[in-house]
């Protein structure tokens, strides 16, 4: 039986993760008082005899002052022999603030009414949980279906998981550099399909454009060097505790060259399956929409 404690900062997707685990056959309990945690764990053998195969338990800031006792309780459970895993849901502060504004909900620790203050306090209170976590999923850039894929990978397929989510993002410099990009690469030196009449209305999502760019020796060499550098950086970022990496690939309009290289990098990095990875084209269709 797998016993998973789902926790994290409020607004990062803990409730969504619990619902997904429930859909995957886990018996889920949310916001159980911490004082009952050991008693709940002692009942797991009985639950297993009732054909409950896996259990997930949600714990968050709503536990109030009892959250301070959780570290002692977890240590005691580990010493007693209870085997549990911790999934920590996280997201960047600006993303959390935006989510709270959109939902019009108040943060459980925002005593003064300011969400950013609540987030700061919660991070302090849950710091020990993040350090102890077996898995950290940063949902800052994840769609719901992408989160489900990550949850499934860990808790259903039982595949190896690195605590980092990589986003490969194509964009156009004329529309601005993405504010959340950690790494930015300028590919405006590559052959430009814009100057080929039949390719101009297409995007890097079309094979004709993709092949035009990637058939050049300079594009192949750049893709090789870029992949090599990113593969070098990823384990070092993980070692430093980074859980989200946004790689921006930019050309003039974000339509041809950046989309092509982003596709190529995504394809290469996806082959290992060692970490979560997603692909997004921010500006690929923007010219077409603006013309309309």
């Amino acid at each position: 039986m797998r016993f998973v404690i789902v926790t994290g900062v409020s607004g990062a997707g803990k409730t969504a993760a619990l619902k997904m685990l429930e859909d995957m056959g886990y018996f889920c309990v949310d916001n159980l008082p911490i004082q009952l945690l050991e008693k709940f764990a002692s009942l797991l053998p009985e639950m297993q005899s009732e054909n409950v195969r896996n259990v997930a338990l949600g714990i968050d800031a709503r536990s109030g002052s009892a959250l301070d006792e959780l570290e002692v309780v977890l240590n005691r459970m580990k010493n007693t022999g209870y085997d549990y895993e911790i999934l920590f849901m996280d997201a960047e502060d600006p993303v959390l603030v935006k989510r709270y504004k959109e939902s019009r909900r108040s943060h459980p620790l925002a005593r003064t009414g300011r969400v950013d203050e609540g987030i700061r306090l919660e991070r302090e209170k849950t710091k020990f949980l993040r350090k102890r976590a077996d898995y950290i999923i940063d949902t800052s850039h994840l769609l719901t279906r992408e989160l489900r894929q990550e949850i499934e990978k860990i808790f259903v397929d039982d595949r190896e998981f690195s605590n980092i989510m990589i986003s490969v993002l194509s964009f156009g410099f004329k529309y601005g550099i993405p504010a959340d990009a950690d790494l930015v690469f300028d590919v405006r030196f590559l052959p430009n399909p814009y100057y080929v009449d039949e390719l101009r209305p297409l995007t890097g999502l079309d094979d004709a454009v993709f092949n035009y760019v990637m058939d050049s020796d300079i594009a192949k060499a750049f893709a090789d060097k870029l992949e090599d550098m990113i593969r070098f950086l990823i384990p070092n970022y993980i070692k430093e505790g980074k859980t989200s990496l946004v790689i921006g690939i930019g050309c003039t309009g974000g339509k041809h060259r950046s989309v092509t290289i982003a596709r190529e990098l995504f394809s290469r990095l996806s082959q290992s399956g060692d970490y979560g990875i997603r692909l997004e084209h921010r500006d690929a269709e923007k010219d077409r929409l603006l013309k309309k």
Side-chain angles (χ1 to χ4, degrees):
M1 173 185 280
R2 285 185 89 163
F3 178 26
V4 182
I5 296 174
V6 184
T7 185
V9 292
S10 303
K14 179 185 68 69
T15 302
L18 277 172
K19 287 179 179 176
M20 290 171 187
L21 286 169
E22 191 171 34
D23 291 342
M24 296 169 192
Y26 278 70
F27 178 83
C28 296
V29 179
D30 191 15
N31 201 27
L32 183 78
I34 287 168
Q35 295 87 342
L36 298 178
L37 182 55
E38 287 177 278
K39 178 64 177 176
F40 180 82
S42 70
L43 296 174
L44 293 181
E46 294 179 34
M47 295 171 69
Q48 194 166 11
S49 66
E50 295 294 325
N51 295 321
V52 175
R53 291 176 296 171
N54 298 304
V55 173
L57 178 67
I59 292 176
D60 59 27
R62 290 174 294 174
S63 300
S65 59
L67 194 62
D68 299 331
E69 305 167 20
L70 181 57
E71 188 165 20
V72 175
V73 172
L74 291 176
N75 288 334
R76 202 158 53 222
M77 286 172 60
K78 189 66 79 175
N79 293 334
T80 307
Y82 292 117
D83 190 20
Y84 59 82
E85 302 166 271
I86 298 178
L87 167 63
F88 191 95
M89 306 299 295
D90 204 354
E92 297 164 1
D93 286 4
V95 174
L96 294 173
V97 172
K98 184 172 180 287
R99 288 175 183 173
Y100 269 100
K101 284 184 177 179
E102 288 174 350
S103 66
R104 297 184 180 180
R105 296 181 61 195
S106 58
H107 192 283
L109 296 185
R111 299 165 188 161
T112 62
R114 291 188 56 190
V115 174
D116 54 351
E117 178 63 14
I119 293 170
R120 186 190 64 77
L121 286 170
E122 187 174 31
R123 287 205 183 280
E124 287 179 11
K125 284 180 170 291
T126 59
K127 189 186 297 182
F128 75 95
L129 281 169
R130 198 179 192 281
K131 285 182 179 178
R132 298 180 66 134
D134 299 281
Y135 315 99
I136 300 172
I137 297 182
D138 191 311
T139 64
S140 301
H141 308 283
L142 287 186
L143 300 174
T144 302
R145 60 177 171 78
E146 292 169 336
L147 174 58
R148 180 177 289 275
Q149 288 169 0
E150 294 306 304
I151 296 286
E152 203 165 74
K153 181 195 298 184
I154 304 168
F155 298 108
V156 177
D157 300 338
D158 203 20
R159 285 161 58 189
E160 191 72 24
F161 180 80
S162 297
N163 290 324
I164 193 167
M165 171 57 64
I166 299 169
S167 298
V168 181
L169 171 66
S170 71
F171 71 93
F173 278 98
K174 72 178 184 179
Y175 299 115
I177 297 174
D180 56 351
D182 298 294
L183 302 170
V184 174
F185 298 94
D186 184 345
V187 296
R188 287 176 288 190
F189 61 90
L190 296 178
N192 194 350
Y194 179 84
Y195 296 110
V196 180
D197 291 341
E198 61 268 27
L199 298 181
R200 187 177 302 137
L202 305 178
T203 74
L205 296 170
D206 296 294
D207 288 341
V209 171
F210 182 88
N211 293 334
Y212 177 87
V213 176
M214 290 309 302
D215 279 347
S216 69
D217 291 338
I218 192 169
K220 291 173 185 172
F222 175 72
D224 289 341
K225 292 178 185 296
L226 179 60
E227 179 190 4
D228 186 53
M229 185 176 71
I230 298 300
R231 288 195 182 279
F232 167 78
L233 289 172
I234 289 170
N236 287 287
Y237 280 138
I238 292 172
K239 197 184 300 180
E240 289 301 310
K242 192 170 182 60
T243 57
S244 174
L245 177 66
V246 180
I247 304 169
I249 312 288
C251 64
T252 304
K255 182 178 179 181
H256 298 120
R257 293 166 291 180
S258 62
V259 174
T260 297
I261 295 299
R263 281 181 61 191
E264 179 67 15
L265 180 62
F266 174 80
S267 175
R268 293 182 180 211
L269 296 180
S270 297
Q271 291 173 11
S272 66
D274 294 335
Y275 32 73
I277 184 165
R278 61 189 298 271
L279 176 63
E280 182 182 347
H281 304 296
R282 192 190 72 177
D283 303 325
E285 300 292 336
K286 198 161 281 185
D287 280 350
R288 194 175 300 169
L289 293 172
L290 289 174
K291 284 175 184 176
K292 285 184 179 180

